[in-house]
Amino acid sequence: MPTISLCMIVRDEEKCIAKCLASIQGIVDEIIVVDTGSKDETKKAAASFGAKIIDFIWTGSFADARNASLEAANGEWVLFLDADEYLELTSHEGLRKAVAQTDVEGYYIPIVNIYGNEQQPEQCRDILFRLFRNRSEYRFRGIIHEQVLNSIVEKDPNVNIATAHDITIYHYGYLDNQVKEKDKINRNLDMLAQQIKEFPEDKYVLYQYGLELFRAEKYEESVAMLKKSLAGLQPGGPEGMYFPKLIRLLVMAHYQLGRHEEAVEYVKYGLAIYPDYADIYHYGGLCFSALRAYGTSFEYFMKATKQGEQPYIYGAYPSMRGYKSYYYMGKICEEFGNAEEALGYYLTGFRENPSFYIALEQIIRILVKGEESEDVRIALANMCECCTAEAKFVVGRMLFAERSYQLAREYLEAAVAAGLNTAEVNICLAICLGQQDRVTEALRLLDEYVKDDEHYVRALFNKAIIFWLQDNAFQVRNTTDTLMLKGLDDDFLAIIKLLRARPKEDFGLVALRPDSSEVLFDILLRAMDHGEFKKVDEVLFRMQQAWIKTHALRLIQMYLRYNRLNEAERYGHICLGSNQDGFDALLYMGDIKSKKAEYWEATEYYRAALSADPGSPKAYVNLLKMYDKLCLVTLKMAVEKHPDVELFKAMLEQEELKL
Amino acid sequence: MTGLLSIAMIVKDEEVMLRACLDSVKEIADEIVIVDTGSVDRTMEIAKCCTEKVYSYFWQGDFSAARNFAIEQCRCEWVLFLDADERLEGTRESLRGLITSTTKEAFMLPLKNYTGPGCSAYNVIGVVRLFRNLPNYRYIGKIHEQVGIANQEVVGYCGYLVICHSYGESCHRNDKRRRNIKMLTEQLFCEPENKAFIKYYLGCEWLGLGCHQQAYDCFQFAYEQLDKDHVFFRSSTVRSLVACLRAMGKLAEALAVCMRETAVYPQYTDLYFDGGIVLEQLEEYEIAARWFKVAVQTGTPVIIYQHSNGTENFLSYYHLGHCCELLGRCEEAAQWYERALAANMNFIYPLYGLYIVLGTKNSCEELIRYFTEQGYAANEEGRLVLGELLFASGRPDLAAGVCSRPDKPIKPSNELAKYYLYSGNFPQALAMVEELQAGLGMNNAVLMKTAILCYLFLHDLNTAKAKCLNMWRYEPLRAEAVALLTLTKRLGGHRLTVGEQYKPVLIDSLLKIITDCARSYGEGSFIKVAKCCEEIISDFEQGSKALLAYWQSEIKGIEMLLDLRHKNVRGLYVWKRAGH
């Protein structure tokens, strides 16, 4: 069998290098490691595997370093790996076969990029040129994203380059715990800028520069580079290797810039060449959703999910034809007010990737809105197996965020029982207990954290709130007295004053900043969950008119959630009067009228909403629901007034069957 | 011979149209010869105002004989025949220039046959009406008489002298048709050798009367008998055949004819258009679009074909827009509609489609701005359409604005009164009603209803009642008055028993009020009145059914709007509904 040299360039890779070198034991004949200045134990680790270490002073060019390793290589073939890569064990046979081929000069090798978090990592397949014959003419070029293929093709334009399908390299350098600092991006940008100066027309370098600029979130400049790279480029040939990724990047960059129509142009262009490219379908879906063409958007996401295993050169992310697309399809369903269908898609996404918490949040949000606690409990139990304490906490926290305090408490207690005893769990648990009138337990829990410097304020504050909800004015004063000793900002003090306020006490009207208003809303919502509507009224009575006007929409939302329709309506009029948030306010007013069974009035509001924003499907769908209701009312009246007409009875029966 | 050009006409009872015809040729002709075949109205009087050469002719059921008699009376070198309901468009210089410098013996001129109101809906065929005054050039045929010219080489074509045949009053048209049918049927016996042609003409008359089965039988006969060499007759027969089949609902057959015959006449634009229309009706919008595009590409066909104005441009663009709209391709649809409007600003139908398609993304205010910028609301018709659309969108206030904008003082109209009414601007509405009643009369049903509704929305039940009783006095308006009175009473809490004979109008009228109230905007007790109407209507079984149907149609309307952009996710907003 022909001899193989493994060549590597490293610096400070003591953690990874062992795994890499262990994976090629027995299949390569020599190991060349060029070290560009390690300060850790990298060299020692490498030497323990029998590697030949070469110290190399960094010249600022990756090509120089790699060429140094080539100079020292004696094997007939050269294989390049990075320290954060390893060869799949079953690839040894493939490697033997590859180097045994007499007519092939070099190989592209499939590479699996592992990224995301360690519990649920994801894979992205790509393909890289890493194995070739060791000839003196074959040398790397380029200070960054160095290429050796150019020199090989120059020697013989008809050279035979193949893809070694039964070799796989794994690269785990993108895993969350492995990702290096932002400095790397800047370093790369500098090097690429330099390389562009030297090779301003090199399309591959332009692509890489564009990619790095994208990573640095400099989208305008990225687009400029990418367009230059694309100009005159053909899909086939050596450029074919990065052409798909170039198109995808162009779509993504335009999407980030909000230039959705242009992005769509590139989507169509890309799909014409690569009609099975799932990522492009996915981004097409995103663009069309941004353009509010939901029908087309849905179609694209659906197509993304229907695509099969993607070719390596696409560098495709499996999530694009999986859970991420399902998620967006769910979002579109919600745009049409169809929570049931949406739930189905979120579930599909979540089942595929149980770490996809965003989907779980939506699922919980929809379930909780459906109100019946028992059903939610059962549904949740069916949907996610919360084996670990972490998982129980995650679900509990989400339920807590949705203010489903009873269920949240159950999950949080389970998390504690399973061993998770952090401040976050316990404080949330305490709040839940407070909402359920288990005051003593709640206070006891909070007291644990009053002793703790980090959580002092939060614990004390929540104690005050619980006392406030229990109408214990004395304890409210007591607790807040202690709290006020800590230097607190004005808004926080204002909120505390509101809690302490005695009925006839007048200390002027209050206004709050947006972030402090959030705190106040949290308190008010907790009060409403507790049935303390009078308290809420009293607090709001003390707020400045300007604040009320600014937050009118939030207030409508709040009252609507707890079915306090008259108050909600009052704030609706305030909102409409001050001419802000027109569309949302009109929708809410329609919802309020609908809940009051005043369907004619509701249609008026929905029609006005439609007029205000004809691009959103929401108003249309709500109008449809209203006409449905009106139809039903008419039908009932018809049955009443004309009891001998069979047709009406039959139609009504049909309706009741559906419900 | 003295003089260059004689205008010759045979007329009967054409007092309405004759003046306009004569005015169009007064300056051009050297003499006008009018042969009256038995008028009992003021035709001869009018004729004598224009020319001395007016002759009474005893009608013998033979058009050619009459025309030839007219030629005998002409003294100029050239003769041009016109009918009383036609006008000539062209200048004295151009016509005289033509005939003085030509070697031709006769000219075929384009005849624009208007098929509807407005200036865009017409057919064009070529007719030989201008010829040298020579003994061998005489008319042949008792009906649909033609000038007998054996050698076609000596016949020229002049495109810039256009004969315009006006649309006319419908009752007159149908009378003429019935008369023609009688004469043509007789001619079938006299001239069996011309049966195919006569059948063609018969078919045209039947088609004009809307008797599609009879028309079809005639055209089918002609189609089978006519030779491909008779291009004008056969191709026109084909088109008419397709029209009959369409009207009879036989769409597949109609399409088959189109497909067959476009191979025979590949230059005949109108056939591609007709095919597109059939496909559109069959809901095959992609294919239909292809046919319309071919029609556009083919351009205006040569004069030998009967050509409907616009099939080569604005009509096809319009239908292309419509097809795109139904395919959910909004941007493309808008482009086609705008091309149609650019090609012919007077054809206003694309405005409807354009508004709906743009309305899925733009607010009413933006639409008004855009339409004004593009000049679509420059003329009155455009403004009316825009007003109509804005009202349908639920913005009568904006509709009122558009319809009243450029005129000072504001021109009163029924529509404007309605828009004021439903935008809660009751004083203006009442003022406008008064102004209109001064012109149109106190017994105008629409105006009275508008006024009554005003008072109902103002909750002035006494005045409303008084006006209802006033309306009741006019017999033809009684049913409507009963309807409004029932509503007035019910609003006051009293039930009125309504006689059987008034029920249909009652349901209809109140349902109309509900529909309009659903488009209202602003202050006013619109909902109260609408609910009351609903209550009244549901008292009747027929009424309840009508109401259910009404809700269904509103639902369908909204679903269609959503379909424009989101057809792919139809399942999300279309579900089995009550009242189906």
Side-chain angles (χ1 to χ4, degrees), chain B residues 334-349:
Chain B
Q335 280 168 3
W336 286 119
Y337 283 135
E338 297 212 79
R339 271 180 88 167
L341 290 164
N344 183 356
M345 201 63 108
N346 293 311
F347 181 64
I348 45 99
Y349 293 104

Side-chain angles (χ1 to χ4, degrees), chain B residues 86-133:
Chain B
E86 293 173 348
R87 288 170 301 113
L88 183 69
E89 278 178 12
T91 63
R92 181 184 168 86
E93 291 74 33
S94 59
L95 199 153
R96 295 175 91 82
L98 175 72
I99 54 185
T100 47
S101 61
T102 185
T103 52
K104 297 284 184 191
E105 296 289 288
F107 283 98
M108 176 185 270
L109 306 178
L111 169 66
K112 275 189 187 172
N113 193 13
Y114 284 88
T115 52
C119 50
S120 308
Y122 58 83
N123 286 334
V124 180
I125 58 174
V127 290
V128 179
R129 293 282 191 89
L130 177 62
F131 50 92
R132 289 188 196 273
N133 189 353

Side-chain angles (χ1 to χ4, degrees), chain B residues 440-458:
Chain B
L440 296 170
M442 294 305 291
N443 61 342
N444 181 298
V446 172
L447 291 172
M448 292 184 106
K449 185 171 179 184
T450 308
I452 294 171
L453 281 170
C454 244
Y455 290 109
L456 289 179
F457 292 140
L458 284 166

Side-chain angles (χ1 to χ4, degrees), chain A residues 231-352:
Chain A
L233 207 57
Q234 296 302 319
E239 288 106 33
M241 287 301 169
Y242 64 90
F243 198 90
K245 291 185 274 197
L246 171 58
I247 302 292
R248 179 180 62 186
L249 197 56
L250 270 162
V251 173
M252 287 165 69
H254 280 95
Y255 177 73
Q256 291 295 339
L257 283 168
R259 306 212 307 233
H260 302 119
E261 266 114 8
E262 286 173 69
V264 166
E265 290 301 313
Y266 285 106
V267 165
K268 294 198 171 137
Y269 177 59
L271 288 173
I273 309 171
Y274 308 109
D276 58 343
Y277 199 171
D279 294 34
I280 301 272
Y281 279 115
H282 179 91
Y283 276 98
L286 286 174
C287 292
F288 282 114
S289 266
L291 290 168
R292 304 224 269 184
Y294 298 111
T296 318
S297 175
F298 195 88
E299 195 188 338
Y300 273 74
F301 284 125
M302 182 64 92
K303 285 221 173 94
T305 63
K306 296 263 189 281
Q307 300 308 317
E309 190 84 27
Q310 303 277 283
Y312 290 116
I313 56 167
Y314 287 177
Y317 293 94
S319 60
M320 303 269 131
R321 61 186 176 95
Y323 67 87
K324 281 204 176 146
S325 283
Y326 288 119
Y327 169 75
Y328 286 112
M329 283 156 86
K331 282 267 153 224
I332 292 174
C333 291
E334 289 206 85
E335 199 61 43
F336 285 84
N338 200 330
E340 213 179 295
E341 285 281 326
L343 193 59
Y345 287 109
Y346 292 139
L347 271 170
T348 311
F350 181 63
R351 288 210 174 100
E352 188 186 296

Side-chain angles (χ1 to χ4, degrees), chain B residues 39-331:
Chain B
S39 295
V40 298
D41 65 0
R42 296 174 52 247
T43 301
M44 286 192 81
E45 234 180 277
I46 298 172
K48 286 191 181 141
C49 291
C50 243
T51 175
E52 286 170 357
K53 303 186 85 164
V54 180
Y55 304 89
S56 264
Y57 179 83
F58 180 67
W59 177 248
Q60 292 152 325
D62 184 335
F63 280 100
S64 289
R67 290 198 194 270
N68 291 335
F69 174 75
I71 299 177
E72 300 287 319
Q73 317 310 316
C74 293
R75 291 287 164 263
C76 297
E77 274 180 57
W78 285 76
V79 180
L80 171 63
F81 265 92
L82 284 179
D83 285 344
D85 53 6
E86 293 173 348
R87 288 170 301 113
L88 183 69
E89 278 178 12
T91 63
R92 181 184 168 86
E93 291 74 33
S94 59
L95 199 153
R96 295 175 91 82
L98 175 72
I99 54 185
T100 47
S101 61
T102 185
T103 52
K104 297 284 184 191
E105 296 289 288
F107 283 98
M108 176 185 270
L109 306 178
L111 169 66
K112 275 189 187 172
N113 193 13
Y114 284 88
T115 52
C119 50
S120 308
Y122 58 83
N123 286 334
V124 180
I125 58 174
V127 290
V128 179
R129 293 282 191 89
L130 177 62
F131 50 92
R132 289 188 196 273
N133 189 353
L134 295 170
N136 48 326
Y137 297 143
R138 289 292 182 268
Y139 273 90
I140 353 176
K142 285 196 176 162
I143 179 169
H144 286 295
E145 58 287 7
Q146 311 270 335
V147 182
I149 299 179
N151 181 10
Q152 287 303 305
E153 306 271 306
V154 305
V155 181
Y157 171 68
C158 175
Y160 51 82
L161 292 168
V162 180
I163 302 176
C164 298
H165 179 246
S166 65
Y167 190 44
E169 297 274 328
S170 62
C171 51
H172 287 165
R173 274 183 278 123
N174 286 345
D175 286 341
K176 268 196 178 153
R177 289 197 177 109
R178 279 184 269 269
R179 179 205 65 187
N180 288 344
I181 287 175
K182 199 153 151 267
M183 292 182 69
L184 285 164
T185 318
E186 282 168 16
Q187 201 175 357
L188 271 177
F189 291 114
C190 305
E191 296 173 34
E193 68 277 12
N194 289 330
K195 191 168 183 191
F197 301 105
I198 298 173
K199 282 282 184 180
Y200 166 74
Y201 286 123
L202 266 170
C204 291
E205 304 297 350
W206 282 120
L207 187 56
L209 285 172
C211 303
H212 300 114
Q213 185 59 56
Q214 288 95 318
Y216 171 77
D217 295 331
C218 294
F219 286 125
Q220 186 61 28
F221 182 89
Y223 179 59
E224 280 157 14
Q225 298 296 317
L226 282 171
D227 201 299
K228 291 197 165 99
D229 290 336
H230 294 286
V231 179
F232 169 74
F233 279 100
R234 191 167 178 285
S235 65
S236 303
T237 303
V238 165
R239 279 202 81 196
S240 304
L241 200 56
V242 170
C244 290
L245 287 166
R246 268 190 65 216
M248 300 193 303
K250 296 186 173 161
L251 297 175
E253 281 182 58
L255 183 59
V257 174
C258 288
M259 291 180 79
R260 243 197 332 269
E261 298 298 327
T262 44
V264 177
Y265 306 110
Q267 302 308 315
Y268 196 5
T269 309
D270 295 62
L271 272 182
Y272 295 111
F273 179 81
D274 289 345
I277 296 287
V278 174
L279 285 159
E280 211 179 341
Q281 253 184 287
L282 286 166
E283 296 183 21
E284 292 284 352
Y285 303 116
E286 291 272 8
I287 313 177
R290 284 207 287 274
W291 281 66
F292 289 124
K293 283 184 184 155
V294 174
V296 171
Q297 263 177 301
T298 316
T300 314
V302 291
I303 193 67
I304 193 120
Y305 294 111
Q306 176 228 56
H307 166 61
S308 297
N309 178 43
T311 56
E312 79 279 17
N313 51 25
F314 68 86
L315 285 176
S316 282
Y317 292 144
Y318 168 65
H319 284 279
L320 274 162
H322 190 236
C323 289
C324 284
E325 192 184 315
L326 290 167
L327 285 169
R329 306 215 278 253
C330 285
E331 276 75 27

Side-chain angles (χ1 to χ4, degrees), chain A residues 292 294-295 298-299 333 336 338 600-601 607 614-615 627-628 630-631 634 641-642 645 648 651 655 658, chain B residues 359-360 362 518 531 534-535 538-541 544 551-552 554-555 558 566 568-569 572 575-579:
Chain A
R292 304 224 269 184
Y294 298 111
F298 195 88
E299 195 188 338
C333 291
F336 285 84
N338 200 330
W600 283 94
E601 288 79 351
R607 272 193 302 115
Y627 285 129
D628 229 16
L630 283 163
C631 201
T634 304
K641 289 189 179 177
H642 311 284
V645 178
F648 298 145
M651 284 163 103
E655 279 315 299
K658 273 200 287 161
Chain B
T360 56
N362 301 289
K531 278 189 184 165
E534 191 189 16
E535 221 187 280
S538 63
D539 282 345
F540 311 109
E541 182 190 328
S544 287
W551 295 127
Q552 288 312 309
E554 289 287 318
I555 288 174
I558 298 180
H566 312 294
N568 285 329
V569 285
L572 290 178
W575 58 85
K576 281 290 268 156
R577 296 208 165 83

